[in-house]
Amino acid sequence: MTTQVLNSRVNKTMNKTKLSFLILLLVGLVAPFAIYPVFLMKLLCFALFACAFNLMLGYGGLLSFGHAAFLATGGYITGHTIMQWGLTPELGVLAGTLCSAGMGFIFGKLAIRRQGIYFAMITLALSQLVFFLYVQTPFTGGENGLQGIPRGELFGLFSLEGNLPMYYFVLAVFVIGFAVIYRTIHSPFGQILKAIRENEPRAVSLGYDVDKFKLVAFVISAALAGLAGSTKSLVFQLASLTDAHWHMSGEVILMTLLGGVGTIFGPIVGAATVVTLQNYLSQGPLASWVPVILGLIFVICVLLFRSGIVGEIQKFMKKNFN
Amino acid sequence: MSQDFVLETQGLIKEFKGFTAVDDVNLQVQRGHIHALIGPNGAGKTTCFNLLTKFLTPTHGKILFNGTDITRQSPTDIAKMGMVRSFQISAVFPHLSVLDNVRIALQRKLGTSFHFWKSERSLDVLNDRAMALLEEVDLAKWADTVTVEMPYGRKRALELATTLALEPELMLLDEPTQGMGHEDVERVMALIKKVSVGRTILMVEHNLHVVSSLSDRITVLQRGAVLTEGPYEEVSRNPQVREAYMGSEAA
């Protein structure tokens, strides 16, 4: 009987989440008619990036300070394969994603044995290594980056040159990426991942090889960060060093913390907030103050609402409507 | 010697930078016994325990589990072999439900733990077994509580249920009644007695009342070395043991 009660409760929360998904999807479908599509695409790319990062921090309990490397790798590989090999956009994006996954595997292999600050430092060091590699190697175009990446034709059939078709392509990519993350969290694998986050020695004593679980999670996270980078390079038709810089690794941490670590919608809200702020502030008189304002918000977030925007809303709902 | 030992150590030594925490310990745990490891603070009980469960690597010596040398195995490997440990502070997954805690232990046997593409509903087949285990430790009505909200004694019971889920041949309990009120101690003792049927248990314990009423055999450690070994009556009469405990136990 208890199991049934439990199941019905689980189903209720599942339905609520499903309803939120549906509403978000509808909003996503009509949004480009109200808001500038390029801005929306940028937002979606960063939201996916933050969600991928959140899988590692929020569900794996590991703070990676090197996710910029995966974002950049996705972008460069996609740009290169489309420009030099003439791949169609979906294949270019796939290539970028796979290369990021491969890089994630190498990073993970080297870093996962360490915990906490050491894990963060190793991932940072490795991503700096990748940064300097990309400054030097000719295929990235160095300081200039890869410019004028053609958006091409999806499956060789549908042109993505217009902003509206491109937007729906990005939306589809985002939905797929988000679905992968959601399923990963709510899978047998996700259960063990949560167990490891909650109490690692106990997970070991139950016979789970925790390093392998962390590695798989890291590769998934890296692949999805790469997917975000690949898609972004198509949107802006540009792959540049900005994506590889450690600022980017910091920014994704900010987005995730601001939105709410370990919540499914938190990174999306966080990414939306940061991207919107950057966009609007950079047009006004406060343009040169953007980093300061973001920093200030970050400090306030850490001091006052540590569980992030979505985390605080969830707490509030629980307190008042349960 | 035709006795059947589940766990055996031969000349176990652990040194930490010039300090010998465990000094030449030869321990033999007989199948079906509840074996207690006692000793004053700093006697090396927990170090010894961590060596046995492979959370530490011994400096010298051998550890045999069912006659197999496990000295160089990883903690994960020995857990898979059927030797499962508990921890001094309650080892639960605090922000998961009580049912999920047990399911996580059960789930390993399904062999789908790396399947990140499968729905977690595929784990529902384990619910009945998990509920039965919770029933066994009187936690059935707490099944959908978030673990962190349970009282301490209940958490220890949950930990026991989680350990039982693996159907271990040998359970290693690190101070199962530590930090508990009188009632909880009684409950956990009854539980240990109940689950010990058909199993071997090795426990580290401070509470001599627990040790005296549960264990078949006791090993007393002092300054990392074995002081004496035997059934409770014998050990408690030993003057050295009495001295080690400074008369704090008048039994």
CSV table of all heavy atoms in Angstrom, one decimal, chain A residues 2-3 6 9 11 14 183-184 186-189 191-192 195 198-199 201-202 204-209 212-213 220, chain B residues 75-76 79-80 85 87 91-95 99 104 107-108 112-113 115-121 127 131 144 159 163:
chain,number,residue,atom,x,y,z
A,2,THR,N,1.9,1.2,0.9
A,2,THR,CA,2.7,2.4,1.0
A,2,THR,C,3.4,2.6,-0.4
A,2,THR,O,3.6,3.8,-0.8
A,2,THR,CB,3.9,2.1,2.0
A,2,THR,OG1,3.3,1.2,3.0
A,2,THR,CG2,4.3,3.4,2.6
A,3,THR,N,3.7,1.6,-1.1
A,3,THR,CA,4.4,1.7,-2.4
A,3,THR,C,3.5,2.4,-3.3
A,3,THR,O,3.9,3.3,-4.1
A,3,THR,CB,4.8,0.3,-3.0
A,3,THR,OG1,5.0,-0.5,-1.9
A,3,THR,CG2,5.9,0.5,-3.9
A,6,LEU,N,3.4,6.0,-2.5
A,6,LEU,CA,4.6,6.6,-3.0
A,6,LEU,C,4.6,6.8,-4.5
A,6,LEU,O,4.9,7.9,-5.0
A,6,LEU,CB,5.7,5.6,-2.7
A,6,LEU,CG,7.1,6.0,-3.1
A,6,LEU,CD1,7.6,7.2,-2.1
A,6,LEU,CD2,8.1,4.9,-3.0
A,9,ARG,N,2.5,9.7,-5.5
A,9,ARG,CA,3.1,11.0,-5.3
A,9,ARG,C,4.2,11.3,-6.4
A,9,ARG,O,4.2,12.3,-6.9
A,9,ARG,CB,3.7,11.0,-3.9
A,9,ARG,CG,4.2,12.3,-3.5
A,9,ARG,CD,4.7,12.3,-2.1
A,9,ARG,NE,3.7,12.1,-1.1
A,9,ARG,CZ,3.9,12.1,0.2
A,9,ARG,NH1,5.1,12.3,0.7
A,9,ARG,NH2,2.9,11.9,1.1
A,11,ASN,N,4.1,10.1,-9.4
A,11,ASN,CA,3.4,10.4,-10.6
A,11,ASN,C,3.0,11.9,-10.6
A,11,ASN,O,3.0,12.5,-11.6
A,11,ASN,CB,2.2,9.5,-10.8
A,11,ASN,CG,2.7,8.1,-11.2
A,11,ASN,OD1,3.8,8.0,-11.7
A,11,ASN,ND2,1.8,7.1,-11.1
A,14,MET,N,5.8,14.0,-11.4
A,14,MET,CA,6.1,13.8,-12.7
A,14,MET,C,5.2,14.6,-13.7
A,14,MET,O,5.7,15.2,-14.6
A,14,MET,CB,6.0,12.3,-13.1
A,14,MET,CG,7.1,11.5,-12.4
A,14,MET,SD,8.6,11.5,-13.3
A,14,MET,CE,8.6,9.9,-14.0
A,183,ARG,N,16.6,12.6,-18.8
A,183,ARG,CA,16.5,11.1,-18.7
A,183,ARG,C,17.7,10.6,-17.9
A,183,ARG,O,17.6,9.7,-17.1
A,183,ARG,CB,16.5,10.5,-20.1
A,183,ARG,CG,16.6,9.0,-20.2
A,183,ARG,CD,15.8,8.3,-19.1
A,183,ARG,NE,14.3,8.4,-19.2
A,183,ARG,CZ,13.5,7.7,-19.9
A,183,ARG,NH1,14.0,6.7,-20.6
A,183,ARG,NH2,12.2,7.9,-19.8
A,184,THR,N,18.9,11.2,-18.1
A,184,THR,CA,20.0,10.7,-17.3
A,184,THR,C,19.8,10.9,-15.8
A,184,THR,O,20.1,10.0,-15.0
A,184,THR,CB,21.3,11.5,-17.7
A,184,THR,OG1,21.5,11.4,-19.1
A,184,THR,CG2,22.5,11.0,-17.0
A,186,HIS,N,17.0,10.9,-14.3
A,186,HIS,CA,15.9,10.0,-13.8
A,186,HIS,C,16.1,8.6,-14.4
A,186,HIS,O,15.2,8.1,-15.0
A,186,HIS,CB,14.6,10.6,-14.2
A,186,HIS,CG,14.3,11.9,-13.5
A,186,HIS,ND1,13.9,11.9,-12.1
A,186,HIS,CD2,14.4,13.1,-13.8
A,186,HIS,CE1,13.7,13.2,-11.8
A,186,HIS,NE2,14.0,13.9,-12.8
A,187,SER,N,17.3,8.1,-14.3
A,187,SER,CA,17.6,6.8,-14.8
A,187,SER,C,18.2,6.0,-13.7
A,187,SER,O,18.6,6.5,-12.7
A,187,SER,CB,18.5,6.9,-16.0
A,187,SER,OG,19.8,7.2,-15.5
A,188,PRO,N,18.4,4.6,-13.9
A,188,PRO,CA,19.1,3.9,-12.9
A,188,PRO,C,20.5,4.5,-12.6
A,188,PRO,O,21.0,4.5,-11.5
A,188,PRO,CB,19.3,2.5,-13.5
A,188,PRO,CG,18.1,2.4,-14.5
A,188,PRO,CD,17.9,3.8,-15.0
A,189,PHE,N,21.1,4.9,-13.7
A,189,PHE,CA,22.4,5.6,-13.6
A,189,PHE,C,22.4,6.8,-12.7
A,189,PHE,O,23.2,7.1,-11.8
A,189,PHE,CB,22.9,5.9,-15.0
A,189,PHE,CG,24.2,6.7,-15.0
A,189,PHE,CD1,25.4,6.1,-14.8
A,189,PHE,CD2,24.2,8.1,-15.3
A,189,PHE,CE1,26.6,6.9,-14.8
A,189,PHE,CE2,25.3,8.9,-15.3
A,189,PHE,CZ,26.6,8.2,-15.1
A,191,GLN,N,20.3,7.5,-10.4
A,191,GLN,CA,20.1,7.1,-9.0
A,191,GLN,C,21.4,6.9,-8.3
A,191,GLN,O,21.7,7.4,-7.2
A,191,GLN,CB,19.3,5.8,-8.9
A,191,GLN,CG,17.8,6.0,-9.2
A,191,GLN,CD,17.1,6.8,-8.1
A,191,GLN,OE1,16.8,7.9,-8.3
A,191,GLN,NE2,16.9,6.2,-6.9
A,192,ILE,N,22.3,6.2,-9.0
A,192,ILE,CA,23.6,5.9,-8.4
A,192,ILE,C,24.4,7.2,-8.3
A,192,ILE,O,25.1,7.5,-7.3
A,192,ILE,CB,24.4,4.9,-9.2
A,192,ILE,CG1,23.6,3.6,-9.4
A,192,ILE,CG2,25.8,4.6,-8.6
A,192,ILE,CD1,23.2,3.0,-8.1
A,195,ALA,N,23.3,9.0,-5.3
A,195,ALA,CA,23.9,8.3,-4.2
A,195,ALA,C,25.3,8.7,-3.9
A,195,ALA,O,25.7,8.9,-2.8
A,195,ALA,CB,23.7,6.8,-4.3
A,198,GLU,N,25.5,12.1,-2.5
A,198,GLU,CA,25.0,12.1,-1.1
A,198,GLU,C,26.0,11.5,-0.1
A,198,GLU,O,26.2,12.0,1.0
A,198,GLU,CB,23.7,11.3,-1.0
A,198,GLU,CG,22.6,12.0,-1.8
A,198,GLU,CD,21.9,13.0,-0.9
A,198,GLU,OE1,21.3,12.6,0.1
A,198,GLU,OE2,21.9,14.2,-1.3
A,199,ASN,N,26.6,10.4,-0.5
A,199,ASN,CA,27.5,9.7,0.4
A,199,ASN,C,28.4,8.8,-0.3
A,199,ASN,O,28.1,7.6,-0.5
A,199,ASN,CB,26.7,9.0,1.5
A,199,ASN,CG,27.6,8.5,2.6
A,199,ASN,OD1,28.8,8.3,2.5
A,199,ASN,ND2,26.9,8.2,3.8
A,201,PRO,N,31.5,7.3,0.3
A,201,PRO,CA,32.1,6.1,0.9
A,201,PRO,C,31.0,5.0,1.0
A,201,PRO,O,31.3,3.8,0.8
A,201,PRO,CB,32.5,6.5,2.3
A,201,PRO,CG,32.6,8.0,2.3
A,201,PRO,CD,31.7,8.5,1.2
A,202,ARG,N,29.8,5.4,1.3
A,202,ARG,CA,28.7,4.4,1.4
A,202,ARG,C,28.5,3.8,0.0
A,202,ARG,O,28.3,2.6,-0.1
A,202,ARG,CB,27.4,5.1,1.9
A,202,ARG,CG,26.3,4.1,2.1
A,202,ARG,CD,26.7,2.9,2.9
A,202,ARG,NE,25.5,2.1,3.3
A,202,ARG,CZ,25.6,0.9,3.8
A,202,ARG,NH1,26.8,0.4,4.0
A,202,ARG,NH2,24.6,0.2,4.2
A,204,VAL,N,30.6,3.3,-2.3
A,204,VAL,CA,31.7,2.4,-2.5
A,204,VAL,C,31.5,1.1,-1.7
A,204,VAL,O,31.6,0.0,-2.3
A,204,VAL,CB,33.1,3.0,-2.0
A,204,VAL,CG1,34.2,2.0,-2.0
A,204,VAL,CG2,33.4,4.2,-2.9
A,205,SER,N,31.0,1.3,-0.5
A,205,SER,CA,30.9,0.1,0.3
A,205,SER,C,29.7,-0.8,-0.1
A,205,SER,O,29.6,-1.9,0.2
A,205,SER,CB,30.7,0.4,1.8
A,205,SER,OG,29.3,0.8,2.1
A,206,LEU,N,28.8,-0.2,-1.0
A,206,LEU,CA,27.7,-1.0,-1.5
A,206,LEU,C,28.2,-1.7,-2.8
A,206,LEU,O,27.4,-2.3,-3.5
A,206,LEU,CB,26.5,-0.1,-1.8
A,206,LEU,CG,25.8,0.4,-0.6
A,206,LEU,CD1,24.6,1.3,-1.0
A,206,LEU,CD2,25.3,-0.7,0.3
A,207,GLY,N,29.4,-1.4,-3.2
A,207,GLY,CA,30.0,-2.2,-4.3
A,207,GLY,C,29.9,-1.4,-5.7
A,207,GLY,O,30.0,-2.0,-6.7
A,208,TYR,N,29.7,-0.1,-5.6
A,208,TYR,CA,29.7,0.7,-6.8
A,208,TYR,C,31.1,1.3,-7.1
A,208,TYR,O,31.7,1.9,-6.2
A,208,TYR,CB,28.7,1.8,-6.8
A,208,TYR,CG,27.3,1.2,-6.8
A,208,TYR,CD1,26.5,1.3,-5.7
A,208,TYR,CD2,26.8,0.7,-8.0
A,208,TYR,CE1,25.2,0.7,-5.7
A,208,TYR,CE2,25.5,0.1,-8.0
A,208,TYR,CZ,24.7,0.2,-6.9
A,208,TYR,OH,23.5,-0.4,-6.9
A,209,ASP,N,31.5,1.2,-8.3
A,209,ASP,CA,32.8,1.7,-8.7
A,209,ASP,C,32.6,3.2,-9.0
A,209,ASP,O,32.3,3.6,-10.2
A,209,ASP,CB,33.3,1.0,-9.9
A,209,ASP,CG,34.8,1.2,-10.1
A,209,ASP,OD1,35.3,2.2,-9.6
A,209,ASP,OD2,35.4,0.3,-10.8
A,212,LYS,N,34.0,5.3,-12.1
A,212,LYS,CA,33.4,5.0,-13.5
A,212,LYS,C,32.1,5.8,-13.7
A,212,LYS,O,31.9,6.3,-14.8
A,212,LYS,CB,33.2,3.5,-13.6
A,212,LYS,CG,34.4,2.7,-14.1
A,212,LYS,CD,34.0,1.3,-14.5
A,212,LYS,CE,35.2,0.4,-14.5
A,212,LYS,NZ,34.9,-1.0,-14.2
A,213,PHE,N,31.3,5.8,-12.6
A,213,PHE,CA,30.0,6.6,-12.7
A,213,PHE,C,30.3,8.0,-13.0
A,213,PHE,O,29.7,8.7,-13.8
A,213,PHE,CB,29.2,6.4,-11.5
A,213,PHE,CG,28.5,5.0,-11.4
A,213,PHE,CD1,29.2,4.0,-10.8
A,213,PHE,CD2,27.3,4.8,-11.9
A,213,PHE,CE1,28.6,2.7,-10.8
A,213,PHE,CE2,26.7,3.6,-11.9
A,213,PHE,CZ,27.3,2.5,-11.3
A,220,ILE,N,29.1,12.6,-20.6
A,220,ILE,CA,27.8,13.1,-21.1
A,220,ILE,C,27.8,14.7,-21.0
A,220,ILE,O,27.3,15.3,-21.9
A,220,ILE,CB,26.7,12.5,-20.2
A,220,ILE,CG1,26.6,11.0,-20.4
A,220,ILE,CG2,25.3,13.1,-20.6
A,220,ILE,CD1,25.7,10.3,-19.5
B,75,PRO,N,37.9,-1.6,-2.3
B,75,PRO,CA,36.7,-1.7,-1.5
B,75,PRO,C,35.5,-2.1,-2.3
B,75,PRO,O,34.7,-2.9,-1.8
B,75,PRO,CB,36.5,-0.3,-1.0
B,75,PRO,CG,37.8,0.4,-1.2
B,75,PRO,CD,38.5,-0.3,-2.2
B,76,THR,N,35.5,-1.7,-3.6
B,76,THR,CA,34.3,-2.0,-4.4
B,76,THR,C,34.3,-3.5,-4.7
B,76,THR,O,33.3,-4.2,-4.6
B,76,THR,CB,34.5,-1.3,-5.8
B,76,THR,OG1,34.7,0.1,-5.5
B,76,THR,CG2,33.2,-1.5,-6.6
B,79,ALA,N,33.2,-5.6,-1.7
B,79,ALA,CA,31.7,-5.4,-1.5
B,79,ALA,C,31.0,-6.4,-2.4
B,79,ALA,O,30.0,-7.0,-2.1
B,79,ALA,CB,31.3,-4.0,-1.8
B,80,LYS,N,31.5,-6.5,-3.7
B,80,LYS,CA,30.9,-7.4,-4.6
B,80,LYS,C,31.1,-8.9,-4.2
B,80,LYS,O,30.3,-9.7,-4.6
B,80,LYS,CB,31.5,-7.2,-6.0
B,80,LYS,CG,31.0,-5.9,-6.7
B,80,LYS,CD,31.7,-5.7,-8.0
B,80,LYS,CE,31.2,-4.4,-8.6
B,80,LYS,NZ,32.1,-3.9,-9.7
B,85,ARG,N,30.4,-3.3,4.7
B,85,ARG,CA,30.6,-2.6,5.9
B,85,ARG,C,29.6,-1.5,6.2
B,85,ARG,O,28.9,-1.1,5.3
B,85,ARG,CB,32.0,-2.0,5.9
B,85,ARG,CG,32.1,-0.7,5.0
B,85,ARG,CD,33.3,0.0,5.2
B,85,ARG,NE,33.3,0.7,6.5
B,85,ARG,CZ,34.3,1.5,6.9
B,85,ARG,NH1,35.4,1.6,6.2
B,85,ARG,NH2,34.3,2.1,8.1
B,87,PHE,N,29.3,2.2,8.7
B,87,PHE,CA,30.2,3.3,9.1
B,87,PHE,C,29.8,3.8,10.5
B,87,PHE,O,28.7,3.5,11.0
B,87,PHE,CB,30.1,4.4,8.2
B,87,PHE,CG,30.7,4.1,6.8
B,87,PHE,CD1,29.9,3.4,5.9
B,87,PHE,CD2,32.0,4.5,6.5
B,87,PHE,CE1,30.4,3.1,4.6
B,87,PHE,CE2,32.5,4.1,5.2
B,87,PHE,CZ,31.7,3.5,4.3
B,91,ALA,N,25.6,5.8,7.7
B,91,ALA,CA,25.9,5.9,6.3
B,91,ALA,C,24.6,5.7,5.5
B,91,ALA,O,24.2,4.6,5.2
B,91,ALA,CB,26.9,4.9,5.9
B,92,VAL,N,23.9,6.8,5.3
B,92,VAL,CA,22.7,6.8,4.5
B,92,VAL,C,22.8,7.8,3.4
B,92,VAL,O,23.8,8.6,3.4
B,92,VAL,CB,21.4,7.1,5.3
B,92,VAL,CG1,21.1,5.9,6.3
B,92,VAL,CG2,21.5,8.4,6.1
B,93,PHE,N,21.9,7.8,2.5
B,93,PHE,CA,21.9,8.8,1.5
B,93,PHE,C,20.8,9.8,1.9
B,93,PHE,O,19.6,9.6,1.7
B,93,PHE,CB,21.6,8.3,0.1
B,93,PHE,CG,22.6,7.2,-0.3
B,93,PHE,CD1,22.2,5.9,-0.5
B,93,PHE,CD2,23.9,7.5,-0.4
B,93,PHE,CE1,23.1,4.9,-0.8
B,93,PHE,CE2,24.8,6.5,-0.8
B,93,PHE,CZ,24.4,5.2,-1.0
B,94,PRO,N,21.2,10.9,2.6
B,94,PRO,CA,20.2,11.7,3.4
B,94,PRO,C,19.1,12.3,2.6
B,94,PRO,O,18.0,12.4,3.1
B,94,PRO,CB,21.1,12.8,4.0
B,94,PRO,CG,22.4,12.8,3.3
B,94,PRO,CD,22.6,11.4,2.8
B,95,HIS,N,19.3,12.8,1.4
B,95,HIS,CA,18.3,13.5,0.7
B,95,HIS,C,17.5,12.6,-0.3
B,95,HIS,O,16.8,13.1,-1.2
B,95,HIS,CB,18.8,14.7,0.0
B,95,HIS,CG,19.4,15.7,1.0
B,95,HIS,ND1,20.7,15.9,1.2
B,95,HIS,CD2,18.8,16.5,1.8
B,95,HIS,CE1,20.9,16.7,2.2
B,95,HIS,NE2,19.7,17.2,2.5
B,99,LEU,N,13.0,4.4,0.9
B,99,LEU,CA,12.8,3.4,-0.1
B,99,LEU,C,14.0,3.4,-1.1
B,99,LEU,O,14.6,2.4,-1.5
B,99,LEU,CB,11.5,3.4,-0.8
B,99,LEU,CG,11.2,2.3,-1.7
B,99,LEU,CD1,10.7,1.1,-0.9
B,99,LEU,CD2,10.1,2.6,-2.7
B,104,ILE,N,18.9,1.5,-4.0
B,104,ILE,CA,20.2,1.7,-4.5
B,104,ILE,C,21.1,0.5,-4.3
B,104,ILE,O,21.9,0.1,-5.2
B,104,ILE,CB,20.8,3.0,-4.0
B,104,ILE,CG1,20.2,4.2,-4.7
B,104,ILE,CG2,22.3,3.1,-4.1
B,104,ILE,CD1,20.4,5.5,-4.2
B,107,GLN,N,19.8,-2.4,-6.6
B,107,GLN,CA,19.9,-2.1,-8.0
B,107,GLN,C,21.1,-2.7,-8.7
B,107,GLN,O,21.1,-2.9,-9.9
B,107,GLN,CB,19.8,-0.5,-8.2
B,107,GLN,CG,20.3,0.0,-9.4
B,107,GLN,CD,20.2,1.5,-9.4
B,107,GLN,OE1,19.7,2.2,-8.5
B,107,GLN,NE2,20.7,2.1,-10.5
B,108,ARG,N,22.2,-2.9,-7.9
B,108,ARG,CA,23.4,-3.3,-8.5
B,108,ARG,C,23.2,-4.6,-9.2
B,108,ARG,O,23.8,-4.9,-10.3
B,108,ARG,CB,24.5,-3.4,-7.5
B,108,ARG,CG,25.9,-3.3,-8.1
B,108,ARG,CD,27.0,-3.5,-7.0
B,108,ARG,NE,27.1,-4.9,-6.8
B,108,ARG,CZ,27.4,-5.4,-5.6
B,108,ARG,NH1,27.5,-4.6,-4.6
B,108,ARG,NH2,27.5,-6.7,-5.4
B,112,THR,N,21.9,-2.7,-14.5
B,112,THR,CA,21.6,-1.6,-15.4
B,112,THR,C,22.1,-0.3,-14.9
B,112,THR,O,21.6,0.8,-15.3
B,112,THR,CB,20.1,-1.5,-15.6
B,112,THR,OG1,19.4,-1.3,-14.4
B,112,THR,CG2,19.5,-2.8,-16.3
B,113,SER,N,23.0,-0.3,-13.9
B,113,SER,CA,23.3,0.9,-13.2
B,113,SER,C,24.0,1.9,-14.1
B,113,SER,O,24.0,3.1,-13.8
B,113,SER,CB,24.2,0.6,-12.0
B,113,SER,OG,23.4,-0.1,-11.0
B,115,HIS,N,23.0,2.4,-17.2
B,115,HIS,CA,22.1,2.7,-18.3
B,115,HIS,C,21.4,4.1,-18.1
B,115,HIS,O,20.4,4.2,-17.5
B,115,HIS,CB,21.0,1.6,-18.4
B,115,HIS,CG,21.5,0.3,-18.8
B,115,HIS,ND1,20.7,-0.8,-19.1
B,115,HIS,CD2,22.8,-0.2,-18.9
B,115,HIS,CE1,21.5,-1.8,-19.5
B,115,HIS,NE2,22.8,-1.5,-19.3
B,116,PHE,N,22.0,5.1,-18.6
B,116,PHE,CA,21.5,6.4,-18.4
B,116,PHE,C,20.4,6.7,-19.3
B,116,PHE,O,19.7,7.8,-19.2
B,116,PHE,CB,22.6,7.5,-18.5
B,116,PHE,CG,23.4,7.5,-19.8
B,116,PHE,CD1,22.8,8.2,-20.8
B,116,PHE,CD2,24.6,6.8,-20.0
B,116,PHE,CE1,23.5,8.2,-22.1
B,116,PHE,CE2,25.2,6.9,-21.2
B,116,PHE,CZ,24.7,7.6,-22.2
B,117,TRP,N,20.1,5.8,-20.2
B,117,TRP,CA,19.0,6.1,-21.2
B,117,TRP,C,17.7,5.4,-20.8
B,117,TRP,O,16.7,5.6,-21.4
B,117,TRP,CB,19.4,5.6,-22.6
B,117,TRP,CG,19.8,4.1,-22.6
B,117,TRP,CD1,19.0,3.1,-22.8
B,117,TRP,CD2,21.2,3.6,-22.3
B,117,TRP,NE1,19.7,1.9,-22.6
B,117,TRP,CE2,21.0,2.2,-22.4
B,117,TRP,CE3,22.4,4.2,-22.1
B,117,TRP,CZ2,22.1,1.4,-22.2
B,117,TRP,CZ3,23.5,3.3,-21.9
B,117,TRP,CH2,23.4,2.0,-21.9
B,118,LYS,N,17.8,4.6,-19.7
B,118,LYS,CA,16.6,3.9,-19.3
B,118,LYS,C,15.8,4.8,-18.2
B,118,LYS,O,16.4,5.5,-17.5
B,118,LYS,CB,17.0,2.6,-18.6
B,118,LYS,CG,16.8,1.4,-19.5
B,118,LYS,CD,16.9,0.2,-18.7
B,118,LYS,CE,17.0,-1.0,-19.7
B,118,LYS,NZ,18.0,-1.9,-19.4
B,119,SER,N,14.5,4.6,-18.2
B,119,SER,CA,13.7,5.3,-17.2
B,119,SER,C,14.0,4.7,-15.8
B,119,SER,O,14.2,3.5,-15.7
B,119,SER,CB,12.2,5.2,-17.5
B,119,SER,OG,11.5,5.6,-16.4
B,120,GLU,N,13.9,5.5,-14.8
B,120,GLU,CA,14.0,5.0,-13.4
B,120,GLU,C,12.9,4.1,-13.0
B,120,GLU,O,12.9,3.4,-12.0
B,120,GLU,CB,14.2,6.2,-12.4
B,120,GLU,CG,13.0,7.1,-12.3
B,120,GLU,CD,13.4,8.3,-11.5
B,120,GLU,OE1,14.3,8.3,-10.7
B,120,GLU,OE2,12.6,9.3,-11.6
B,121,ARG,N,11.8,4.2,-13.8
B,121,ARG,CA,10.7,3.2,-13.5
B,121,ARG,C,11.1,1.8,-13.7
B,121,ARG,O,10.5,0.9,-13.2
B,121,ARG,CB,9.5,3.5,-14.5
B,121,ARG,CG,8.9,4.9,-14.1
B,121,ARG,CD,7.6,5.0,-14.7
B,121,ARG,NE,7.1,6.4,-14.5
B,121,ARG,CZ,6.0,6.8,-14.9
B,121,ARG,NH1,5.1,6.0,-15.5
B,121,ARG,NH2,5.6,8.0,-14.7
B,127,ASN,N,10.8,-2.7,-5.9
B,127,ASN,CA,10.1,-2.1,-4.8
B,127,ASN,C,9.6,-3.1,-3.8
B,127,ASN,O,9.7,-2.9,-2.6
B,127,ASN,CB,8.9,-1.3,-5.3
B,127,ASN,CG,9.3,0.0,-5.9
B,127,ASN,OD1,10.5,0.4,-5.8
B,127,ASN,ND2,8.4,0.8,-6.4
B,131,MET,N,10.6,-3.1,0.1
B,131,MET,CA,9.6,-3.0,1.1
B,131,MET,C,9.8,-4.1,2.1
B,131,MET,O,9.7,-3.9,3.3
B,131,MET,CB,8.2,-3.0,0.6
B,131,MET,CG,7.8,-1.7,-0.1
B,131,MET,SD,8.1,-0.2,1.0
B,131,MET,CE,6.8,-0.4,2.1
B,144,ASP,N,8.4,6.4,2.3
B,144,ASP,CA,8.6,7.6,1.4
B,144,ASP,C,9.0,8.9,2.1
B,144,ASP,O,8.9,10.0,1.6
B,144,ASP,CB,7.3,7.8,0.5
B,144,ASP,CG,6.1,8.1,1.4
B,144,ASP,OD1,6.2,7.8,2.6
B,144,ASP,OD2,5.1,8.5,0.9
B,159,GLU,N,20.3,1.8,7.6
B,159,GLU,CA,21.6,1.4,7.1
B,159,GLU,C,21.7,-0.1,7.1
B,159,GLU,O,22.3,-0.7,6.2
B,159,GLU,CB,22.6,2.0,8.0
B,159,GLU,CG,24.0,2.0,7.5
B,159,GLU,CD,25.0,2.5,8.5
B,159,GLU,OE1,24.6,3.3,9.4
B,159,GLU,OE2,26.2,2.1,8.4
B,163,THR,N,22.4,-2.6,4.0
B,163,THR,CA,23.5,-3.6,4.0
B,163,THR,C,22.9,-5.0,3.7
B,163,THR,O,23.4,-5.7,2.9
B,163,THR,CB,24.2,-3.6,5.3
B,163,THR,OG1,24.6,-2.2,5.6
B,163,THR,CG2,25.4,-4.5,5.3
